[in-house]
């Protein structure tokens, strides 16, 4: 494996969380570099989403640490981590359901620009925010649905909005948790192409939980495999997928790769 | 200001007309309606609009359920009452009372927020209920300061009393005296307070409040410190309620537990917000109007109805003026049943049935 001379953008050291007697994530140490896309795979219950939750601060770790650009995040809240550059898109769509699609995005842009504590200026006067939102709507193909409440979008539309919110936050680290789950065959490429374009711009550190093998092969620079909360393998896609232990744990058990 | 109004006013034209009619009706009450009763109803209505709107800021916009809102109303009213009870009534004293009232309210709201806004909605609701009950007991115990259950009657600046005559002649049949001054002080202060709230709701901050209500978890994940926002909303809401209490104390020239602090007030405010429409702000105007009119005139109306149908056995029993609370209750049930989103919520915004995918 490559040696790192510089500080990685994101690093977890011995990261663990325990629920009662069950160790959901067990001493996972990993480094993530700028401009790379790492796929995180593993059977259901392997701890992929939990690992994400530990990194983005939705869940406190029992042991170990998360470092962003070398700084230990410790007990920092999810909000603090988001402001520091850890962006998170969720597996179960998390939107502001009764607010319009545009308002969902505006909220994120506004958060990024730190405008939340302005009490007096009309929000509709934030021209810069609106202009950015317009561009984002185009990017995620929702321009025609801007004023519709988010809850009225189709499932695919909601997933696109979720990705759009990540783009709006524009964080250094982007963590996508099964961004194409439940999407139809013709919808999924829109989202995947978006992620590909972010990757090709080369500035972001992308972590992607994904099940579909063809997606992983075409997008990922590197795969890490989690099984029962432990790091089973870490390396280039082809190399990792040929390891016997991985084949047994992941492909052997859920060869269909579905969910 | 116009922009904020444009951004927040309900889209429905009829609702806008009704709102305009209510505002104009209140402003011109001295000329439109006879008697002190109408004037009193209009003044209380203005104050309750502020109180209900400030509660909506919390309940409808931020999604925080509090039962301590009447407490802040009471703090404002008692601040003025105690000040005027001890010192000669003047505007300097009033100013000190307002500052003191706001200070106490903000402190109480801040402590309650720190202790309990982290926890789940239901616990916060229960803690506020406990604090509010404790305050009611405290007020009745601190007899020397608060007048206990009897409350305080005090003098207000003479400029605001009927004894003060501004003009010798009537203006279109209305006596221009201190009472009228007091009325307009209350009404215009209420309008200004309401407009400030409109402005807050239309601001980037207001947008974040809605996000908290919709999905707190997500708001955190995009970087909003939700505890700070919720606490700020609680403080703002408490401040407006306190100022509404100040106006109430000025208008009534009496402050007692029943008029500003009781659970009944809290329930009234809750109903106003729910009937008018949560998260609309303007719903407070409609809700307060419905409730105030019902409370002031339903009894009289039923008296008339009873006279008309006096002979009919069961119906006349039901229409007895003493039964007005029964009808008020039925009115609430009907309104919540038919307008679960409140009047303004029902007639503006996207109708749920036209949902498209």
């Amino acid at each position: 494996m490559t040696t790192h001379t510089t500080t990685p953008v994101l690093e977890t050291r011995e990261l663990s969380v325990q629920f009662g007697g069950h160790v959901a994530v067990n001493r996972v140490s990993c480094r993530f570099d700028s401009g790379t896309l790492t796929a995180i795979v593993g059977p259901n219950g392997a701890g992929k989403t939990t690992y994400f939750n530990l990194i983005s601060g939705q869940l406190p770790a029992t042991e170990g640490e998360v470092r962003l650009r070398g700084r230990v995040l410790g007990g920092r809240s999810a909000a603090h981590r988001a402001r520091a550059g850890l962006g998170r898109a969720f597996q179960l769509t998390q939107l502001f359901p009764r607010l319009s699609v545009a308002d969902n995005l505006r909220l994120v842009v506004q958060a990024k620009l730190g405008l939340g504590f302005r009490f007096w200026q009309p929000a509709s006067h934030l021209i810069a925010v609106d202009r950015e939102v317009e561009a984002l709507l185009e990017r995620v193909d929702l321009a025609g649905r801007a004023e519709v409440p988010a809850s009225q979008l189709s499932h695919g539309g909601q997933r696109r909005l979720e990705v759009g919110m990540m783009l709006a936050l524009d964080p250094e680290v982007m963590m996508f948790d099964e961004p194409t789950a439940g999407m139809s065959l013709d919808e999924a490429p829109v989202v995947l192409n978006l992620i590909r374009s972010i990757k090709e711009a080369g500035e972001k550190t992308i972590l992607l939980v994904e099940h579909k093998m063809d997606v992983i092969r075409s997008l990922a620079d590197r795969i890490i495999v989690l099984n029962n909360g432990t790091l089973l393998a870490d390396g280039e896609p082809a190399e990792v997928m040929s390891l016997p232990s991985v084949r047994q744990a992941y492909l052997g058990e859920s060869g269909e790769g579905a969910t | 200001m116009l922009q904020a109004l444009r951004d927040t006013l309900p889209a429905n034209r009829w609702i806008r007309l009704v709102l305009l009619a209510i505002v104009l009706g209140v402003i011109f009450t001295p000329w439109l309606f006879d008697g002190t009763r109408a004037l009193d109803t209009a003044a209380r209505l203005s104050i309750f609009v502020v109180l209900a709107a400030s509660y909506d800021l919390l309940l409808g916009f931020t999604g925080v359920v509090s039962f301590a809102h009447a407490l802040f109303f009471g703090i404002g009213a008692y601040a003025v009452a105690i000040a005027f009870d001890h010192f000669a009534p003047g505007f300097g004293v009033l100013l000190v009372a307002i500052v003191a009232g706001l200070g106490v309210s903000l402190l109480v709201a801040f402590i309650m927020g720190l202790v309990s806004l982290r926890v789940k909605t239901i616990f916060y609701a229960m803690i506020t209920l406990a604090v509010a009950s404790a305050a009611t007991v405290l007020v009745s115990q601190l007899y020397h300061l608060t007048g206990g259950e009897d409350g305080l009657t005090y003098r207000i600046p003479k400029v605001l009393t009927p004894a003060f005559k501004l003009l010798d002649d009537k203006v279109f049949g209305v006596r221009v005296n201190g009472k009228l001054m007091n009325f307009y002080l209350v009404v215009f202060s209420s309008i200004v307070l309401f407009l400030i709230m409109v402005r807050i709701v239309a601001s980037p901050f207001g947008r974040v409040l809605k996000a908290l209500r919709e999905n707190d978890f997500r708001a955190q994940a995009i970087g909003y410190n939700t505890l700070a926002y919720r606490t700020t909303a609680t403080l703002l809401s408490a401040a407006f309620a306190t100022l509404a209490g100040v106006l109430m104390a000025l208008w009534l020239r009496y402050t007692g537990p029943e008029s500003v602090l009781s659970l009944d007030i809290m329930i009234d405010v809750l109903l106003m917000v729910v009937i008018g429409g949560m998260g609309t702000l303007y719903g407070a105007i409609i809700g307060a109007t419905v409730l105030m009119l019902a409370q002031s005139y339903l009894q009289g109306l039923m008296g008339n109805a009873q006279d008309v149908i006096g002979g009919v056995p069961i119906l006349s029993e039901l229409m007895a003026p003493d039964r007005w609370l029964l009808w008020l209750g039925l009115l609430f049930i009907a309104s919540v049943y038919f307008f679960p989103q409140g009047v303004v919520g029902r007639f503006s915004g996207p109708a749920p049935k036209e949902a498209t995918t």
Side-chain angles (χ1 to χ4, degrees):
Chain A
M1 245 164 274
T2 49
T3 48
H4 302 268
T5 46
T6 53
T7 319
V9 174
L10 177 69
E11 184 181 11
T12 65
R13 289 190 186 172
E14 304 278 301
L15 195 61
S16 310
V17 70
Q18 205 168 340
F19 303 115
H22 173 66
V23 185
V25 171
N26 193 2
R27 298 175 168 281
V28 176
S29 298
C30 232
R31 304 158 68 105
F32 304 93
D33 289 309
S34 182
T36 62
L37 190 150
T38 309
I40 299 168
V41 302
N44 285 329
K48 303 181 297 282
T49 299
T50 312
Y51 184 52
F52 267 19
N53 283 338
L54 293 176
I55 295 174
S56 57
Q58 266 80 28
L59 205 64
T62 3
E63 267 175 75
E65 58 189 35
V66 178
R67 285 167 178 256
L68 187 64
R69 276 176 253 102
R71 283 192 302 121
V72 182
L73 290 176
R76 298 297 188 161
S77 67
H80 180 94
R81 290 172 193 222
R83 289 196 297 272
L86 278 176
R88 175 80 193 272
F90 294 90
Q91 183 180 14
L92 300 173
T93 310
Q94 291 279 352
L95 303 169
F96 303 110
R98 284 186 294 169
L99 304 186
S100 73
V101 170
D103 271 348
N104 270 267
L105 291 171
R106 286 188 188 117
L107 271 161
V108 186
V109 176
Q110 194 183 294
K112 179 180 62 183
L113 300 176
L115 302 174
F117 271 112
R118 294 204 183 173
F119 301 91
W120 201 241
Q121 182 186 25
S124 56
H125 278 184
L126 300 172
I127 310 285
V129 171
D130 281 359
R131 208 169 288 148
E132 193 168 342
V133 165
E134 244 168 71
L136 286 163
L137 285 167
E138 291 289 340
R139 262 186 99 179
V140 295
D141 198 16
L142 286 170
R145 315 281 292 157
E147 295 311 317
V148 172
S151 59
Q152 287 183 20
L153 290 178
S154 66
H155 178 74
Q158 297 196 0
R159 305 288 331 187
R160 289 208 301 282
L161 180 54
E162 181 85 43
V163 175
M165 288 167 82
M166 174 73 91
L167 290 171
L169 190 61
D170 197 31
E172 201 168 358
V173 178
M174 297 186 169
M175 304 163 71
F176 294 98
D177 197 349
E178 297 197 44
T180 62
M183 288 180 97
S184 64
L185 279 175
D186 48 325
E187 282 177 324
V190 180
V191 165
L192 292 173
N193 286 335
L194 277 167
I195 295 176
R196 189 189 310 277
S197 69
I198 301 168
K199 183 200 152 185
E200 278 163 6
E203 291 166 352
K204 306 293 180 191
T205 307
I206 306 171
L207 277 65
L208 173 71
V209 168
E210 186 53 81
H211 277 290
K212 300 185 186 88
M213 271 307 139
D214 49 328
V215 171
I216 295 169
R217 275 198 202 93
S218 74
L219 273 177
D221 306 300
R222 169 188 174 206
I223 294 185
I224 64 176
V225 183
L226 291 180
N227 191 32
N228 289 327
T230 48
L231 186 65
L232 193 66
D234 179 349
E236 288 188 0
E239 176 194 335
V240 167
M241 295 324 288
S242 61
L243 291 172
S245 57
V246 173
R247 298 191 72 87
Q248 203 203 332
Y250 183 58
L251 300 173
E253 280 169 28
S254 56
E256 315 92 78
T259 32
Chain B
M1 192 67 241
L2 282 175
Q3 184 65 46
L5 282 173
R6 219 174 293 140
D7 290 345
T8 53
L9 263 173
N12 187 290
R13 198 187 328 145
W14 293 106
I15 295 286
R16 287 181 176 202
L17 275 176
V18 170
L19 289 172
L20 186 69
I22 293 172
V23 173
L24 291 179
V26 166
I27 291 177
F28 294 106
T29 294
W31 286 273
L32 290 172
F33 309 100
D34 276 340
T36 50
R37 178 132 193 208
L39 203 66
D40 187 51
T41 306
R44 282 167 187 261
L45 171 59
S46 318
I47 295 168
F48 269 94
V49 165
V50 174
L51 188 60
S54 66
Y55 191 57
D56 194 24
L57 215 53
L58 211 54
L59 181 71
F61 283 90
T62 321
V64 172
V65 181
S66 160
F67 290 109
H69 207 59
L71 169 62
F72 301 119
F73 187 56
I75 289 174
Y78 271 103
V80 173
I82 292 170
F84 284 169
D85 190 43
H86 283 79
F87 305 101
F91 285 99
V93 174
L94 180 63
L95 195 68
V96 172
I98 292 172
V99 172
L102 280 176
V104 173
S105 277
L106 292 180
L107 190 69
V108 172
F110 185 68
I111 292 172
M112 266 191 336
L114 272 197
V115 172
S116 50
L117 275 175
R118 288 169 189 278
V119 296
K120 291 225 159 58
T121 313
I122 183 71
F123 296 114
Y124 182 71
M126 290 175 73
I127 284 165
T128 55
L129 191 60
V131 172
S133 311
T136 318
V137 174
L138 199 65
V139 163
S140 69
Q141 293 297 312
L142 292 175
Y143 184 85
H144 295 289
L145 194 62
T146 62
E149 291 296 325
D150 298 333
L152 293 169
T153 311
Y154 41 86
R155 291 183 308 128
I156 59 173
K158 191 170 177 259
V159 198
L160 301 176
T161 57
F164 177 79
K165 285 211 171 43
L166 198 67
L167 299 174
D168 287 332
D169 301 321
K170 290 183 173 185
V171 176
F172 298 110
V174 173
R175 221 175 252 113
V176 183
N177 59 14
K179 179 102 175 165
L180 199 71
M181 301 273 285
N182 196 351
F183 177 75
Y184 281 115
L185 177 72
V186 166
V187 169
F188 285 116
S189 303
S190 300
I191 291 175
V192 168
L193 289 174
F194 186 82
L195 289 178
I196 294 175
M197 283 188 267
V198 166
R199 193 101 197 199
I200 289 175
V201 162
S203 73
F205 175 77
R207 198 183 259 165
V208 179
L209 294 191
K210 282 181 239 170
L212 299 193
R213 173 194 72 193
E214 292 291 303
N215 191 342
D216 194 270
F217 173 80
R218 186 58 161 141
Q220 283 183 42
I222 56 177
Y224 291 114
N225 179 349
T226 53
L227 183 65
Y229 281 92
R230 258 203 307 276
T231 307
T232 311
T234 315
L235 293 179
L236 278 173
S237 165
F240 284 106
T242 307
L243 294 173
V246 167
L247 294 177
M248 195 65 164
L250 274 180
W251 177 251
L252 287 183
R253 287 189 277 170
Y254 160 79
T255 294
E258 281 305 308
S259 65
V260 294
L261 208 56
S262 67
L263 195 61
D264 289 350
I265 302 266
M266 190 59 244
I267 292 170
D268 283 353
V269 171
L270 185 65
L271 286 169
M272 286 172 190
V273 172
V274 171
I275 289 173
M278 285 192 281
T280 62
L281 213 60
Y282 297 92
I285 297 179
I286 304 223
T289 306
V290 170
L291 213 73
M292 295 307 293
L293 289 184
Q295 283 181 345
S296 299
Y297 297 105
L298 191 61
Q299 216 170 347
L301 217 61
M302 286 174 59
N304 295 345
Q306 198 188 25
D307 292 342
V308 176
I309 52 162
V312 191
I314 296 171
L315 212 54
S316 71
E317 281 288 297
L318 284 175
M319 279 295 166
D322 295 349
R323 306 268 182 280
W324 74 282
L325 270 173
L326 169 76
W327 289 100
L328 200 58
L330 288 175
L331 183 74
F332 294 149
I333 295 170
S335 71
V336 172
Y337 186 79
F338 291 110
F339 303 109
Q341 303 161 282
V343 177
V344 174
R346 171 68 185 81
F347 291 110
S348 63
K353 275 170 195 160
E354 290 166 27
T356 49
T357 43

